[in-house]
Structure formats: structure tokens, C-alpha cells
Amino acid sequence: MTKKKLSLKVESSHPVIDRNIDFIKSHLETHTLCWISKQIKVNVVTMYRYAERYGWKGLEMKKALSVDWDSRMLRIIKTKFPNTFNKQVADECGVSVRTLIRKARELGLEKEEGFLDKNRAAISQMAKEALPKVGKETIEFIIKAGIPYRFQKGHKPQNIDYKKVWTTRRMNEEKIKMGLINPY
């Protein structure tokens, strides 16, 4: 009696991708494969492998990230960019500040002469508000968090050639004195 080998050609499938196949197909034209994989919680590499197998093409990243500038947005940027803060113009156009700056450069727009001098007080105030608040609690937290990583008393690092270190320091000090190296 001879045994026959049964060869079942079963294409491996992924349970999460199979379960979300309708979602994937409905979003291929409007979103990237990377975004779709994050939504269904599948590894990006796995998503691309299955996309290649099934012939799926997601939206290209460059197209997904691009902004369609309409006439209203262009009018706002052309009229307000030279004499208004970038954040205000970006909020009005509904884009990020970086995107606004990139478009302004593309259009050849610049801030008007003396804009910084005229608004120096407001700019200084915005910079102060943007600084992180460092209070007593923050400093205590930083100190407490760093304690486990401090060197113990008497600790000497290994593999350091002290003679080489001091020689290099002396040479650098001499070069600074001679004006060959700018110390700042």
C-alpha cells in the first residue's frame, strides 16, 4: 500500500487583516498603508507584505501630507504674512506654522522691514510663556530621578588614559592662549 502525499496549497492569512478587509479597502484611496496599519493595530511590515500580495496601493505619503491651497488661503497668506505673527496666520489658514513658512518661501514672501523691532516686546513675552515652568517640585523630581545613576564615592572609571587626557587638555589650553582655537 502506497501513501499519497496530499499537498494542500493554503495561502496563509492574517486574522486581523482578514477581519478588517473592508476597512482596509475603503481607506486605500484616502490614506497611507502606514496609517491603515496603525488603525487596525498591525505591524507596518506585515501590512506592506499583505499589500504586495493582494496588489493594494495606499495613498503616497507625499500626497497624504500635502495641503491643497485654495484661493482664500493664498489671499490670507499674501495679505497678512508680512505684518502678522506666523501662528495667527497659520491658525486662520488651518495649517501648521511650518507649512505656512514653507508656502511663504515658495511665494517669495517676507516679513516687512522692522517687524521684529516693532513687536520685540510681544515676541519676548511669547518666548517667556513658551519656556517650561521650573518650580521647586520640578527640581526635586530631577534630583530624585538622577540619584540612582550617580557615581558612588571613590568610583574611578575604567579604561581611561589619564596621561593622554591631561596632555590633550594642556595642548588645547595652549592653543586657546595662542588664539588658534576660539573657546566659544
Side-chain angles (χ1 to χ4, degrees), residues 4-175:
K4 291 184 180 179
K5 282 188 176 178
L6 295 174
S7 64
L8 296 173
K9 190 175 182 184
V10 177
E11 196 169 311
S12 63
S13 64
H14 194 282
V16 178
I17 290 180
D18 291 343
R19 188 171 52 239
N20 293 294
I21 199 92
D22 294 330
F23 176 84
I24 294 169
K25 287 181 180 177
S26 66
H27 287 84
L28 283 174
E29 291 182 17
T30 56
H31 294 84
T32 62
L33 289 173
C34 182
W35 181 87
I36 295 170
S37 69
K38 286 179 184 174
Q39 299 307 308
I40 63 173
K41 294 178 177 56
V42 170
N43 187 308
V44 176
V45 176
T46 305
M47 185 69 194
Y48 276 94
R49 191 177 329 117
Y50 277 86
E52 187 176 323
R53 179 184 293 169
Y54 295 124
W56 296 336
K57 296 264 190 264
L59 189 66
E60 289 181 25
M61 188 63 77
K62 189 171 184 178
K63 189 174 181 182
L65 296 175
S66 66
V67 174
D68 292 328
W69 291 89
D70 59 14
S71 59
R72 179 191 68 82
M73 294 165 74
L74 290 173
R75 191 172 0 95
I76 290 170
I77 197 173
K78 286 178 182 175
T79 57
K80 294 190 176 183
F81 183 81
N83 54 14
T84 310
F85 291 115
N86 293 344
K87 178 76 173 128
Q88 293 171 345
V89 179
D91 288 344
E92 198 169 332
C93 289
V95 296
S96 70
V97 174
R98 183 70 197 123
T99 302
L100 174 87
I101 293 169
R102 197 176 297 121
K103 189 64 176 180
R105 281 191 187 146
E106 185 182 309
L107 296 172
L109 300 174
E110 292 182 5
K111 293 290 183 191
E112 67 183 15
E113 187 103 11
F115 178 79
L116 286 176
D117 295 330
K118 194 171 23 173
N119 296 303
R120 190 158 309 277
I123 293 169
S124 297
Q125 183 62 32
M126 285 189 281
K128 284 178 186 173
E129 291 171 3
L131 285 175
K133 306 293 185 234
V134 180
K136 185 178 177 184
E137 304 87 30
T138 307
I139 293 170
E140 287 173 357
F141 174 77
I142 291 169
I143 291 170
K144 187 189 277 185
I147 287 173
Y149 305 102
R150 292 182 184 166
F151 286 117
Q152 300 299 319
K153 275 192 172 179
H155 175 79
K156 295 199 182 209
Q158 295 178 341
N159 303 329
I160 292 182
D161 184 0
Y162 290 104
K163 185 176 181 182
K164 190 175 184 180
V165 170
W166 289 110
T167 305
T168 306
R169 284 185 183 168
R170 237 179 282 119
M171 287 172 44
N172 287 342
E173 287 174 3
E174 289 173 11
K175 287 178 183 176

